[in-house]
Amino acid sequence: MRRVLEDFYRDGKPPWDSGITPPELVALTEGPGALLPGQVLELGCGTGTNAVYLGRHGWRVTAVDLVDRAVRQAREKADAAGADVTVLCGDATRLDEVGVPGPYDLFFDLSCYCGIPPHRRDAYAAGLTKRAAPGARLLMFGYGPRAFDDSWSGVTADELRARFAGWQLDEVTPGTNPVPTFWFTLRRGADSA
């Protein structure tokens, strides 16, 4: 998977890097009932568009991506914007190795999880759970099953309920893409430790 991602960045602009912050993230941070800024961890940050957005809106941002080239571009984008964003190169399923202790009030994932092989997804969920402040939110965009020509990519609400023990799936909203996509909002129990 890493090689495929690296190829997209090496060959030019990856198709998922629109340079536009999704309205779902804007609504969560600026809309009615917006979250108060705190600590946020972005998983699979790409070139940093959303990390910079969050930094400009008062969040203390840590962002992680697997691809060196994306991390360099995200750091450059954050520096140019004067945003207080820490961008680290690492694997979202091995957060202990990345050095992101938390706790985090918000996690943002724009199609990172749905591209992780199923045998590594429990490690992803455990890593977030370990770093989640009570009441933390996870806003995740994901492709549905069979969106691509493989047997494993994609995510469902049932899978998230099963993998994220101690979290409540608050909302599932269909995306507007030509293939099945969804926005998932999960909330960590306030009494979870």
Side-chain angles (χ1 to χ4, degrees):
M1 179 52 84
R2 179 183 293 200
R3 188 173 306 263
V4 170
L5 295 171
E6 287 171 344
D7 288 347
F8 275 112
Y9 283 101
R10 186 191 66 243
D11 294 342
K13 188 174 181 178
W16 57 84
D17 192 358
S18 69
I20 299 169
T21 297
E24 293 79 3
L25 181 58
V26 172
L28 190 65
T29 57
E30 295 184 60
L35 299 178
L36 293 174
Q39 296 260 75
V40 60
L41 177 61
E42 182 179 3
L43 302 130
C45 68
T47 64
T49 298
N50 300 307
V52 168
Y53 166 81
L54 288 162
R56 285 182 168 167
H57 286 83
W59 290 83
R60 292 179 310 282
V61 182
T62 303
V64 175
D65 201 279
L66 187 61
V67 179
D68 288 328
R69 186 181 303 251
V71 168
R72 285 192 307 271
Q73 291 175 358
R75 287 175 180 159
E76 291 168 4
K77 190 178 284 186
D79 288 345
D84 184 15
V85 175
T86 300
V87 185
L88 303 169
C89 190
D91 185 334
T93 69
R94 292 183 169 96
L95 292 176
D96 286 339
E97 297 171 13
V98 179
V100 290
Y104 294 99
D105 306 296
L106 175 64
F107 299 91
F108 181 64
D109 177 333
L110 188 65
S111 73
C112 177
Y113 177 88
C114 66
I116 294 171
H119 72 279
R120 296 294 308 150
R121 291 181 180 186
D122 282 338
Y124 175 104
L128 268 60
T129 300
K130 178 180 177 180
R131 290 161 177 80
R137 303 286 175 92
L138 166 59
L139 178 61
M140 176 189 289
F141 173 83
Y143 290 90
R146 296 174 300 283
F148 300 105
D149 294 332
D150 61 45
S151 62
W152 59 269
S153 64
V155 61
T156 66
D158 288 340
E159 177 188 351
L160 294 176
R161 283 187 196 100
R163 288 200 198 268
F164 283 84
W167 294 73
Q168 172 73 36
L169 181 60
D170 284 344
E171 192 173 348
V172 179
T173 306
T176 58
N177 304 65
V179 297
T181 58
F182 302 92
W183 283 95
F184 302 97
T185 305
L186 291 89
R187 184 175 26 89
R188 178 82 165 131
D191 58 352
S192 300

